[in-house]
Amino acid sequence: KLEPLSLLHADGTAFIPGQLDTTCHAFVGETVVLPCTTNPPGELTLSKSMLYWQIGTKELVHFFQNGQDSLEGQDKKFKGRTSLFLDQMKHGNLSLKISNVQFRDDALYSCIYRQTESHQTEKYTIKLKVSGK
C-alpha cells in the first residue's frame, strides 16, 4: 500500500495530504473546472513554479513548469482536453479545466504546487463525480 506523501509547511508543521478539499460534479460531454487556489493567494513566480495535476501517483493529468505547460508525460486519455488559466495563475488560480468530460474522468485528483527554489509544496484534493445525461 502506498503511503501518502508527508510534507512539511514552511514553519515545520506537518502537512498531511489526503483530506478532501472539494467535490465537483459534471455530466458526460461537459466542460468542468476543478478549483485549486494557493493559500494564501498572492503573486506567484511562474518561472519558479511547478504544478502537477494528477490522479494517484500514476496518472499525470496536466503538468506546468518554468512558466509553461509541459505535457510530454500527460496521460493519453487527457490529451487535448486539459488547460490551465494561464492569465490568472500568477495570482494563485491553479484550477484545471477539463473539456468533453468522460465517465473514466471520475476520480480523485491532486493539485500539487511546488516552488522550485524553496521546495515549499501545497497539495489539494478534488473529487470529480461524473454522471450520464
Side-chain angles (χ1 to χ4, degrees):
K1 183 175 170 299
L2 267 169
E3 288 305 306
L5 197 62
S6 172
L7 304 168
L8 292 180
H9 282 301
D11 61 3
T13 55
F15 172 68
I16 309 302
Q19 76 279 22
L20 190 59
D21 292 295
T22 188
T23 300
C24 296
H25 298 267
F27 288 107
V28 169
E30 285 185 345
T31 294
V32 68
V33 173
L34 303 183
C36 185
T37 312
T38 54
N39 191 24
E43 284 285 311
L44 306 183
T45 309
L46 295 184
S47 60
K48 297 178 180 152
S49 303
M50 295 162 86
L51 175 65
Y52 301 81
W53 273 96
Q54 61 190 50
I55 297 171
T57 54
K58 298 276 188 279
E59 281 181 65
L60 189 63
V61 179
H62 200 100
F63 181 55
F64 177 94
Q65 69 173 345
N66 302 327
Q68 59 188 15
D69 287 331
S70 179
L71 301 178
E72 295 80 46
Q74 184 182 43
D75 194 280
K76 288 187 218 33
K77 72 181 188 190
F78 289 103
K79 199 164 177 53
R81 297 197 296 123
T82 61
S83 61
L84 301 168
F85 296 87
L86 297 174
D87 55 331
Q88 298 170 30
M89 283 182 71
K90 66 175 184 290
H91 303 299
N93 181 358
L94 308 177
S95 302
L96 179 75
K97 183 156 78 175
I98 303 176
S99 57
N100 188 19
V101 169
Q102 306 295 311
F103 272 122
R104 61 183 182 178
D105 297 341
D106 188 296
L108 198 58
Y109 291 78
S110 297
C111 169
I112 303 166
Y113 170 72
R114 175 169 285 176
Q115 292 170 325
T116 28
E117 287 179 340
S118 65
H119 297 291
Q120 192 179 346
T121 303
E122 295 180 41
K123 178 176 178 198
Y124 304 92
T125 307
I126 296 98
K127 180 148 185 58
L128 176 59
K129 292 178 95 69
V130 179
S131 320
K133 284 254 157 72

